[in-house]
Amino acid sequence: MAYEPVLIPHVREPQAFTLDSYVQKSRGYTALKQALGMPPGDIIEQVKASGLRGRGGAGFPTGMKWQFVLKDTPKPKYICCNADESEPGTFKDHVLMERNPHLLFEGCAIACYAIGAKIAYIYIRGEFMHVQHVLEAELKKAYDAGYLGKNIFGSGFDCDIYIHRGAGAYEAGEETALIESLEGKRAQPRIKPPFPAVAGLYQCPTAVNNVETLCNVPLIITHGADWFAKLGPEKNGGPKLYCISGQVKRPGVYEASMNTTLRDLVFGEPFAQGMAGGRTFKAIIPGGSSVPLLLDEHLDAPASFDGVQKAGSLLGSAGLIVLDDTVCMVWLAMNLLHFYRHESCGKCTPCREGGDWLYKLLMRVERGEGQMKDIDLLFGVANNIVGKTLCAFGDAAATPVLTTLKLFRHEFEAHVREGRCTLPAPWRAQGATLAHAH
Amino acid sequence: MSFHPQMEYAPARWHRSERRLAEAGEPFRYTPENQAKFDELVTHYPPEQRKSAIIYALFLVQQQQGYVSGQSMAFVAQQIGCTAADVEDVVSYYTMFYTKPVGRIVINVCRTLSCALLGAERVTEEISAKLGIVPGQTTADGMFTLMEVECLGACDRAPVVMINDDQWHERLQPSEVGRFLEDLRTKGPNAVSGCHLCVETK
Ligand SMILES: Cc1cc2nc3c(=O)[nH]c(=O)nc-3n(C[C@H](O)[C@H](O)[C@H](O)COP(=O)(O)O)c2cc1C
Ligand code: SF4
Ligand code: FES
């Protein structure tokens, strides 16, 4: 049976983002209405039973995260929706917010009700201004229609949603850094514990959830935990959005169940339809730039959290970056280390200094000025970042180096031996200035 | 300082938050409209948490005068109820704040992997050659500033370019750069393709 999209069913249709469309073509705010008739504890139980795992990167069970939120406290509680979406290769929350914003608002409101919060902040990256315009206009309509605000559906439950704009910082996607940023500081992570569930935003109990995670919540309420769990393999239930980019024929966001294999996603007719320009597949980064590479032999793994992990990588943010045979792996590592070096928040030394050091070593090897001992040094520096930092960014920054060295060490050695890049591609910078000016 | 004995610290590229104290700028205050906007935005946060509005406060400054000057940081500090150092702390962290004047049109080319795979480096080179500036610089006529930025969250439309902080141009091919710049020059930021998801304007 063909898979029927439930997260982004109408997004390509005109006016899909409007409240009218949400009410007429989807369910309107019926899941919120239904949820407000249930005890909050039952909602958490239902989300737990569905097995919903966070879509932001870590795959942590959402129901459990909500259950940990401190209950007996005089303090207010908060939902923070993580709409920072900055992981290279990831652009799914973009579609959800721009084309189906009411699903997110409904999810936020239900999440608030479940944990006993009255306010949800949607932390959206500063570069998504065109998305924010849509969110703001539609939010106002939801308020005017009485789906948000005071005494929703006469239940006595009040809920406000505010949109908070970021200003350009990948690290603001890390949950405690996001909270710091929301408090008006630099986006630098906090030392855990205490976890946000105990002391988060303004030191109050807080749950931070990804956009796609929250968008799944109304679907669970409407269709039931069982329906949700059965959509995918065990422990990997529900619909999933995949972001496919790179050198494929049809890049884009595709919704599928997690039974789908990586090969289907890259080569399948309903998905990316294979390599562009008749070229050959070389490797894939299956979960945003922070995860290890996989090769052709791994493509038959299901694109689920557990399936990709078993294949030796991580599903992460489900950003599939597909690489063809023109990609030099030293260049790839250099490109990504430029990103990590630039985005490090600077709080821990191994990440701040190590990222910079790796980048410079990679530049040297890529230019053909490296020595064999630089390759060992790369390995040594990267390994000295892993596990020694405050947040997962450090491991992520070391990953592109470790994974390319593991699978394509011969390319590094060829660079050193021949004293030049052995795979210069026409789509890369041609002049020396730009290629190496950073 | 770098860890590594044989390497100097990465050659510092022009960073948006690099600021010289001399650039204190003119005395600053919001226009009445911006003041009203700020006063409304502060209400989104608990009364004792005005500092949460600092990013919005700084964006309003930047909309009003194009960049964030020393004087405007002092003004924001006073609006928020924090020190000017607190404000500078924030300004210097986030990449979207400019601490010196930029061109009327800022061209932000995404340089991260998915865009680079489809020619973003070539796009930057073409723009650079046509305008005679390298990333981080502004043309002499004050029209264009060229920037390289990291992943913009639209990798399926690579190479992606953001104009100023709100307009998008998708799938910009290196061969189209000449025409694109001409369009920007004559039509302003509205010359962009916009986001493909917004099918209403297509
Ligand atoms: C460096 C770093 C960047 C992150 N960026 C994002 C992001 O852009 N969006 C996101 O939803 N989660 C991001 N995360 C994951 C969050 O920390 C957090 O796990 C997530 O928001 C939790 O939501 P979920 O349980 O719904 O997935 C990032 C984590 C790290 C360490
Ligand atoms: S690992 Fe990097 S990004 Fe994370 S806290 Fe440390 S310095 Fe900041
Ligand atoms: S890599 Fe350019 S938008 Fe993601």
Side-chain angles (χ1 to χ4, degrees), chain A residues 151-173:
Chain A
N151 192 19
I152 301 169
F153 294 121
S155 64
F157 172 64
D158 304 338
C159 182
D160 283 312
I161 296 179
Y162 297 111
I163 296 163
H164 184 96
R165 187 180 182 192
Y170 166 64
E171 185 57 7

Side-chain angles (χ1 to χ4, degrees), chain A residues 171 189 343-349 351-352 389-394:
Chain A
E171 185 57 7
E343 299 295 332
S344 168
C345 84
K347 195 160 175 164
C348 348
T349 310
C351 168
R352 182 187 65 241
T389 58
L390 194 55
C391 82
F393 184 110

Side-chain angles (χ1 to χ4, degrees), chain A residues 107-432:
Chain A
C108 287
I110 298 173
C112 280
Y113 179 70
I115 69 158
K118 287 190 166 43
I119 295 182
Y121 288 105
I122 299 179
Y123 185 105
I124 184 165
R125 63 178 298 184
E127 292 88 343
F128 278 176
M129 200 59 214
H130 66 288
V131 181
Q132 191 172 341
H133 288 315
V134 176
L135 287 180
E136 281 170 353
E138 293 306 313
L139 190 60
K140 185 166 179 311
K141 286 193 213 157
Y143 267 98
D144 291 346
Y147 298 132
L148 294 170
K150 297 257 173 292
N151 192 19
I152 301 169
F153 294 121
S155 64
F157 172 64
D158 304 338
C159 182
D160 283 312
I161 296 179
Y162 297 111
I163 296 163
H164 184 96
R165 187 180 182 192
Y170 166 64
E171 185 57 7
E174 199 279 342
E175 55 185 1
T176 55
L178 181 145
I179 289 171
E180 287 280 299
S181 183
L182 241 169
E183 291 184 1
K185 303 177 213 152
R186 296 179 151 227
Q188 293 183 315
R190 295 175 179 170
I191 293 171
K192 296 184 258 191
F195 288 92
V198 176
L201 183 61
Y202 312 132
Q203 295 301 316
C204 301
T206 303
V208 182
N209 288 114
N210 170 258
V211 171
E212 188 188 348
T213 310
L214 290 170
C215 284
N216 274 299
V217 172
L219 303 174
I220 295 172
I221 302 294
T222 304
H223 302 290
D226 210 38
W227 164 86
F228 188 90
K230 290 214 171 96
L231 276 184
E234 207 188 336
K235 296 208 178 79
N236 293 271
K240 184 76 196 86
L241 296 184
Y242 294 98
C243 324
I244 313 183
S245 67
Q247 292 148 323
V248 287
K249 280 202 193 115
R250 219 169 56 132
V253 177
Y254 298 99
E255 181 177 337
S257 95
M258 286 193 257
N259 287 313
T260 319
T261 63
L262 291 170
R263 193 179 300 284
D264 282 341
L265 291 170
V266 177
F267 292 98
E269 202 45 38
F271 305 108
Q273 299 184 347
M275 307 308 293
R279 291 199 294 260
T280 315
F281 174 92
K282 182 168 186 177
I284 183 171
I285 305 182
S289 67
S290 304
V291 309
L293 286 158
L294 293 178
L295 304 174
D296 186 75
E297 69 207 57
H298 303 118
L299 288 185
D300 294 312
S304 63
F305 291 104
D306 297 336
V308 179
Q309 188 165 11
K310 225 168 126 199
S313 188
L314 293 162
L315 184 61
S317 59
L320 285 70
I321 308 175
V322 187
L323 311 165
D324 73 21
D325 55 355
T326 60
V327 181
C328 162
M329 289 296 162
V330 182
W331 171 85
L332 175 128
M334 182 177 87
N335 180 287
L336 290 180
L337 260 294
H338 184 290
F339 171 83
Y340 286 106
R341 163 180 163 272
H342 181 263
E343 299 295 332
S344 168
C345 84
K347 195 160 175 164
C348 348
T349 310
C351 168
R352 182 187 65 241
E353 302 295 322
D356 189 59
W357 192 358
L358 287 176
Y359 177 66
K360 280 185 291 177
L361 284 167
L362 287 164
M363 243 184 351
R364 187 150 87 183
V365 175
E366 170 60 23
R367 274 184 210 163
E369 295 162 7
Q371 302 170 352
M372 284 300 172
K373 68 177 189 208
D374 288 338
I375 302 178
D376 296 324
L377 191 55
L378 275 168
F379 188 72
V381 175
N383 267 322
N384 274 308
I385 301 176
V386 174
K388 295 187 175 64
T389 58
L390 194 55
C391 82
F393 184 110
D395 291 13
T399 297
V401 173
L402 293 173
T403 183
T404 48
L405 275 175
K406 180 167 166 223
L407 298 173
F408 298 96
R409 194 182 169 101
H410 55 276
E411 291 192 17
F412 286 76
E413 289 169 354
H415 277 68
V416 173
R417 241 189 350 262
E418 300 195 19
R420 65 183 178 94
C421 176
T422 44
L423 242 176
W427 41 262
R428 277 167 47 189
Q430 301 300 302

Side-chain angles (χ1 to χ4, degrees), chain A residues 15 94 99 121 125 130 132 163-164 167 181-182 185-187 202 245 338 357 360 429-431 434 438, chain B residues 4 8 10 44-45 49 52 56 89 92-96 113-114 121 125 148 150-151 153 168 197 200:
Chain A
Q15 308 299 325
H94 184 169
R99 303 304 294 176
Y121 288 105
R125 63 178 298 184
H130 66 288
Q132 191 172 341
I163 296 163
H164 184 96
S181 183
L182 241 169
K185 303 177 213 152
R186 296 179 151 227
Y202 312 132
S245 67
H338 184 290
W357 192 358
K360 280 185 291 177
Q430 301 300 302
L434 247 188
H438 315 319
Chain B
H4 191 273
E8 69 346 338
H44 294 187
Y45 309 97
Q49 303 290 351
S52 284
Y56 275 125
D89 190 42
S92 60
Y93 184 84
Y94 296 94
T95 55
M96 290 181 76
L113 186 57
S114 300
E121 291 183 356
E125 276 188 338
E148 281 185 296
E150 302 292 349
C151 181
W168 288 52
L197 292 167
E200 291 76 18

Side-chain angles (χ1 to χ4, degrees), chain A residues 86-91 125 245 321 335, chain B residues 109-117 120 149-161 168:
Chain A
S86 310
E87 174 81 16
T90 314
F91 39 96
R125 63 178 298 184
S245 67
I321 308 175
N335 180 287
Chain B
V109 186
C110 171
R111 59 150 305 282
T112 315
L113 186 57
S114 300
C115 284
L117 288 171
V149 294
E150 302 292 349
C151 181
L152 288 168
C155 324
D156 53 340
R157 309 297 289 179
V160 185
V161 173
W168 288 52

